[in-house]
Each structure stands twice: as structure tokens, then as C-alpha cells.
Amino acid sequence: GSRPGVSPFPKQMQSTFTLDGKKDPELFQNVSEGLKKLYRTKLFPLEDTYRFHDFHSPALEDADFDNKPMVLLVGQYSTGKTTFIRHLMEQDFPGMRIGPEPTTDSFIAVMHGEQEGLIPGNALVVDPKKPFRKLNAFGNAFLNRFVCAQMPNAVLESISIIDTPGILSGEKQRLSRGYDFAAVLEWFAERVDRIILLFDAHKLDISDEFSEVIRALKNHEDKMRVVLNKADQIGTQQLMRVYGALMWSLGKIVGTPEVIRVYIGSFWAQPLLVPDNRKLFEAEEQDLFKDIQGLPRNAALRKLNDLIKRARLAKVHAYIISSLKKEMPNMFGKDNKKKELIANLGEIYTRIEKEHQISPGDFPKLAKMQEILANQDFSKFQVVKPKLLEAVEDMLANDIAKLMTLVRQEEAAMPSQSVQGGAFEGTMNGPFGHGYGEGAGEGIDELEWVVARDKPTYDEIFYTLSPVNGKVSGAMAKKEMVKSKLPNTVLGKIWKLADVDKDGFLDDEEFSLANHLIKVKLEGHELPTDLPEHLIPPSKRGL
């Protein structure tokens, strides 16, 4: 039998965790202040002593911690990077050029500003409020190819977008750039929140330079997403092949165990050439928008993560430099010893690995390290300074955990912080909202109860279940519902939605509703959390 209000599909036991009421003394006002303070007092001294900035990455500035989330777009020329930005913002930006030949040959930081205009690279790198000051290290050839496009735009109030030069196939333009393209990209990758690699489904060839760029971004694959753009220009069968080929190539280049998320679609406001996959593109675009919209909420966590990565590298770096110093002779034969140490750097790595239990993945690339060491004066290196290393250890072991709780609190305090405006508005409401009028939303703007259409079929089954006083019990309904082969968790949810008056029985309308929801689920749609207005049986609308 059935007890009133009890679901015949019992839920698993739910566990709750209680935290003890002890609270750490408040150390930091907020996460970005906390990160700045930790960096300045604990990590920077270690970096500075062992010349971390000459080897790996310039010192961090306040602007790096206060900065809005940034999205970096990377792709071969004509994959639609600039158009993609335009599509997100629904507005042209200053300095934007679009065309089939490589048009964007500059790095353009698209940022929010009250006035529309362009700021040249040389002015950008002296502005303390912008996170770009350290880019002056890449020299004039780069700064002449770097601008900031400022404009008032709702999307830019919560994120900034960085457009990069289109990557060509072939050798020649590698030499003509005049600056280290991959190094600049790596600099950005270290500081942005999301890296979007764009590919053109219409002509998928990954040039050598592009492969090299993707390899340079390897340490940041947690930030990477892939967009397979212009997917409306080919048919479904061709698209499947292109998608397969893309995954195969990426797997060889990136070589990560987890697959990078790929979004397939046509990211501009033009009609689809081949409309077959419209539904797929809509769903993919929604997912990508959700991903980008979540960036402001996760920004603090991203900065925390990047600081941890940096601290681990700085620690290893300190061990390497101090080991080299220890090996250097005081008086004679410095040059020969230096050459020998550089040649044997791999053995030094292995020794440090064993001595300090450090995983090999934390070490800087051997060849790059050897190259930089060749130009360094080893006698100026510092010996090991335990106090500095202890400070960083303490930061990683204790302070980070405290900041982590603060990150969670900050996120909870501002749940609504997501990217608004531009293309992010178009699909929220109205009949063009994603999934409108489909699945559980079917019949939303009809006068008739949509379930009534198939009710005669459901009624036939209903009366074979020998209802008592016009109702079937949970046990009887369950026998019928499990025939759908849906798992109990899903059927339990359907039962909860269908038993509108919560009496533990289903009448003929509720039984039809349960079957309608089973059909919705079997057709691949999601179930609603609460029963929408238009699905409530007419006789129960007053409840």
C-alpha cells in the first residue's frame, strides 16, 4: 500500500556536514587584498632573491590582483576571432578590422571605458591601473603591435577580451614578427581567466606555429576551451569527421588525459548556411555563454590558483639556483664549471626531486632553463635561505587555506555576479529562449492542457491498474512507471511532480501527467524542478 505523501521511490540517505563554530581571526579584508599581501610579504622576497623574474615571469603588480577577468582569444587567421568578440558585445569596437586575409595583426585588449577610443601600447604599459605594465619587457616591436580598445559596453563591465594576431601557416611570418609571439601569449595565458582557441570547421588545418602556441599554453590547459566555429558551413556527416579530426590533433598537441571542452557552432549573427544542426549549435552556444558568464564569480579562485602555481615554481627555482651556487668554485675555473653545471642540469633536477620530494611536473623546462642560465653570472647567485623558503611553505600550508574560506564566502555573498549585456541578453526570455516550448515547456502558450492530447492512451493503461475511488496506489503506479526503464532517481522526481495534491495516490489526470513527464524525459529533455503552470491538471489549478 501507499502512505500519504510518501514517494514509492525512496531517496538515498542524505548526509549533512556540520562545521564547528570556531572562526579564525580575520586576516584579510577580501581575497584580492589578501593575495596582494601574501605575494608582497611571502612570495616576492623569495622570487627576488633567486632572480625568478629573469627566468620565468615578471613580478606581479597590484593591478594583476584587482583586474577584471580576462578572456584570451587565439586562433589561425580567418577563424572568426574578431567577429566572435563582436558577436559577444553586439557592437563594433575601435580598431576592429575583419576580412579573409590576416587583418588583426595586433594584440587588442578590448576593455570598458567611458569614452570610445584607442590607447597605443607605449601609453598602456605606463598606466598603473592597467595590468599591462610588465609587457614593456617585450620591446618596441611588440608595443607597436599592442593597443587597448576602450568603449562603454555592458559586457565589458564584467570582463575584458584580448584579441590576438591571426596565426598563419608557414615559416615566413614567424621571422617577420620581430618579437617572441609565443612568449607574449604565454604572458597573457598566465594572467587571464579563460583561453579560447578558435578553429574553423570549414578548413581545419593546424599550422606549425599554432601547434607551437598551443604547446606554449600547456601549463594552463585548465583555462582552455575550444570553439569549432563556422560549423554551419558543412553538413552533419562532414562536421562529425571534422570534430573527430580536431580532437585527434588536439590530443596529440596538448596530450592531457582529460579532454578539453569543445563548443561547436556559428558564432556570429548571420543566418545558418546549413540549418540541420541548429539545435546543437543553440545548446553549445548556451553552454559557452554560461562558461563565460561564470568567470567573474570564479575570478578570485583563479587568482588563488595561479598564485599557488607560481609559488610552487618559485620554490623549485630557488632550490635550482642555490644548488648551482653551492657547486661553484670560489676562485678559479668558474667558466668551465658553469658550462659543466648547465650541461648536467638534468642530474641536478633529479637530485632536488629526491631530496625535497618534488614532483617532476613542477620543474621548469630543462632546455629553456639551460638557455637562460648561459647568460647569467653564477657568482651573483644566492645560497639557500631557509627563512625565505619557510615563509612560502607556510603560505601554501596555512594562509591559502584561510583565503579559500574567504573565497567561498565572497562567492556566496555575490551569487548574481555574472556577465550581462550583448549576446548574453538575447536568449534569456521570450520564445527564442533556449528550449522554449520544448520538453516540459511544450504547450506553454496553448489554452488547452497539453497532456490532454495523449490522455485517452494513458487512460486505457490507468483503468487496467484497477483504481480504487478513481485513484491508483503508489505501488501500482510504480509497476507501470518502471516499464519506462528510467532509473529510480528520475522516476522518484516524476512521481513528486505528478502527485500534485501530495496524497500518495495518482488520479487519472496525475497519472497522465506522470506519463507525459516520462515521455519528456525519454525524448532527452530535462525535467523541471517545479511543475510549470501549464502542466498543472485543470482540476488542480486552484490548489
Side-chain angles (χ1 to χ4, degrees):
S2 228
R3 289 209 316 282
V6 176
S7 160
F9 303 95
K11 263 221 190 87
Q12 269 65 43
M13 283 294 295
Q14 288 174 339
S15 61
T16 53
F17 298 99
T18 52
L19 295 162
D20 45 16
K22 287 205 302 288
K23 212 173 164 303
D24 279 311
E26 273 300 275
L27 268 179
F28 310 113
Q29 269 56 58
N30 59 45
V31 177
S32 81
E33 284 309 312
L35 289 170
K36 274 187 227 176
K37 195 172 154 190
L38 281 182
Y39 178 70
R40 280 200 299 264
T41 56
K42 297 195 169 172
L43 184 52
F44 179 77
L46 181 77
E47 291 183 354
D48 197 37
T49 306
Y50 296 105
R51 303 181 164 219
F52 180 88
H53 310 129
D54 298 348
F55 285 84
H56 307 291
S57 133
L60 296 178
E61 310 225 312
D62 284 357
D64 288 314
F65 296 108
D66 297 331
N67 195 17
K68 273 179 205 156
M70 296 196 284
V71 178
L72 177 71
L73 291 181
V74 184
Q76 299 189 169
Y77 77 96
S78 194
T79 46
K81 290 192 299 296
T82 309
T83 310
F84 178 79
I85 299 178
R86 207 209 155 286
H87 177 60
L88 288 186
M89 304 196 311
E90 295 187 340
Q91 196 182 345
D92 289 351
F93 57 88
M96 155 179 141
R97 302 216 302 282
I98 292 173
E101 75 289 357
T103 41
T104 305
D105 60 350
S106 304
F107 282 80
I108 304 179
V110 187
M111 300 178 95
H112 189 271
E114 294 312 315
Q115 258 72 46
E116 215 175 281
L118 283 174
I119 306 168
N122 287 298
L124 267 181
V125 294
V126 291
D127 182 352
K129 287 201 177 59
K130 295 254 190 316
F132 304 127
R133 294 201 345 179
K134 292 288 190 257
L135 279 166
N136 61 11
F138 291 107
N140 251 343
F142 166 70
L143 293 180
N144 294 334
R145 292 257 168 267
F146 178 41
V147 291
C148 172
Q150 275 192 328
M151 56 194 288
N153 177 289
V155 173
L156 298 176
E157 280 171 26
S158 35
I159 56 172
S160 304
I161 309 172
I162 312 241
D163 194 6
T164 59
I167 295 167
L168 293 173
S169 25
E171 268 310 283
K172 63 180 184 311
Q173 129 275 8
R174 272 252 265 323
L175 310 168
S176 66
R177 282 203 203 274
Y179 60 90
D180 189 342
F181 182 62
V184 173
L185 274 182
E186 205 171 343
W187 185 95
F188 276 111
E190 210 176 296
R191 285 160 182 78
V192 300
D193 297 69
R194 182 62 75 239
I195 301 167
I196 296 181
L197 302 175
L198 273 105
F199 293 90
D200 181 345
H202 193 45
K203 45 172 199 294
L204 183 72
D205 58 325
I206 304 179
S207 70
D208 298 346
E209 192 181 22
F210 199 13
S211 310
E212 201 177 302
V213 162
I214 300 172
R215 278 194 199 96
L217 305 178
K218 214 176 155 91
N219 299 335
H220 306 284
E221 62 247 339
D222 50 327
K223 299 179 181 179
M224 268 192 220
R225 301 287 182 273
V226 170
V227 167
L228 186 55
N229 202 5
K230 307 190 181 184
D232 62 319
Q233 303 190 2
I234 52 180
T236 308
Q237 201 179 358
Q238 183 67 14
L239 181 58
M240 294 299 291
R241 296 208 176 110
V242 169
Y243 178 77
L246 174 66
M247 296 309 276
W248 164 254
S249 315
L250 279 177
K252 287 206 311 213
I253 301 168
V254 184
T256 47
E258 61 279 353
V259 177
I260 297 181
R261 172 72 162 98
V262 176
Y263 300 93
I264 304 170
S266 164
F267 293 92
W268 64 339
Q270 301 299 320
L272 301 174
L273 275 175
V274 183
D276 308 3
N277 298 308
R278 179 181 194 120
K279 275 226 163 91
L280 168 72
F281 298 162
E282 279 172 13
E284 294 280 287
E285 183 159 31
Q286 283 307 310
D287 287 356
L288 178 61
F289 282 1
K290 273 200 198 91
D291 180 73
I292 296 174
Q293 280 180 307
L295 293 178
R297 278 219 0 247
N298 305 321
L301 192 57
R302 194 275 305 167
K303 288 172 180 153
L304 193 64
N305 248 335
D306 281 349
L307 194 69
I308 296 171
K309 268 192 217 168
R310 188 175 173 107
R312 290 170 55 172
L313 179 60
K315 238 174 55 182
V316 176
H317 179 77
Y319 286 134
I320 296 170
I321 297 297
S322 53
S323 302
L324 293 171
K325 171 72 175 174
K326 211 173 86 186
E327 299 288 326
M328 282 303 279
N330 284 334
M331 304 286 289
F332 305 108
K334 283 192 179 145
D335 271 359
N336 292 336
K337 187 63 177 172
K338 176 175 159 178
K339 287 197 182 90
E340 179 193 325
L341 286 171
I342 293 176
N344 296 336
L345 192 59
E347 291 162 30
I348 295 174
Y349 274 21
T350 317
R351 200 169 64 229
I352 295 171
E353 218 176 288
K354 290 202 179 78
E355 201 176 319
H356 301 284
Q357 276 86 52
I358 295 169
S359 76
D362 281 358
F363 283 81
K365 291 198 188 82
L366 192 63
K368 194 179 158 203
M369 200 68 183
Q370 286 169 318
E371 194 183 317
I372 301 171
L373 280 170
N375 303 318
Q376 291 278 335
D377 179 357
F378 281 27
S379 62
K380 294 219 163 67
F381 286 172
Q382 299 282 344
V383 290
V384 87
K385 298 199 168 156
K387 269 220 169 66
L388 291 176
L389 282 154
E390 276 158 25
V392 173
E393 285 296 342
D394 175 55
M395 170 181 122
L396 289 170
N398 303 317
D399 300 324
I400 295 286
K402 288 189 190 121
L403 272 181
M404 203 65 190
T405 12
L406 200 55
V407 166
R408 292 279 168 256
Q409 286 166 9
E410 271 188 18
E411 276 177 8
M414 44 186 194
S416 62
Q417 215 202 359
S418 76
V419 181
Q420 301 300 329
F424 298 101
E425 298 297 301
T427 53
M428 293 313 165
N429 327 1
F432 293 97
H434 182 55
Y436 182 90
E438 299 167 12
E442 192 192 343
I444 188 165
D445 30 26
E446 291 171 28
L447 292 170
E448 286 289 297
W449 185 42
V450 62
V451 182
R453 281 186 219 160
D454 300 317
K455 190 166 181 293
T457 323
Y458 301 144
D459 279 352
E460 278 175 28
I461 304 169
F462 180 77
Y463 289 110
T464 61
L465 300 177
S466 40
V468 179
N469 302 333
K471 298 183 172 191
V472 294
S473 67
M476 293 302 286
K478 181 173 178 175
K479 275 197 187 119
E480 185 55 41
M481 287 166 74
V482 293
K483 289 181 185 166
S484 69
K485 298 193 172 63
L486 285 168
N488 269 1
T489 47
V490 175
L491 292 173
K493 191 171 176 186
I494 290 175
W495 170 274
K496 242 171 62 189
L497 293 169
D499 183 8
V500 181
D501 54 16
K502 305 277 175 268
D503 63 352
F505 292 85
L506 300 181
D507 62 17
D508 60 326
E509 287 183 330
E510 292 174 326
F511 181 76
S512 294
L513 175 58
N515 280 289
H516 179 77
L517 290 168
I518 286 173
K519 186 181 87 164
V520 164
K521 188 65 191 161
L522 290 175
E523 284 173 357
H525 300 287
E526 288 306 316
L527 291 171
T529 344
D530 303 300
L531 195 62
E533 221 34 35
H534 68 278
L535 286 184
I536 299 173
S539 67
K540 307 259 187 324
R541 299 224 163 140
L543 284 181

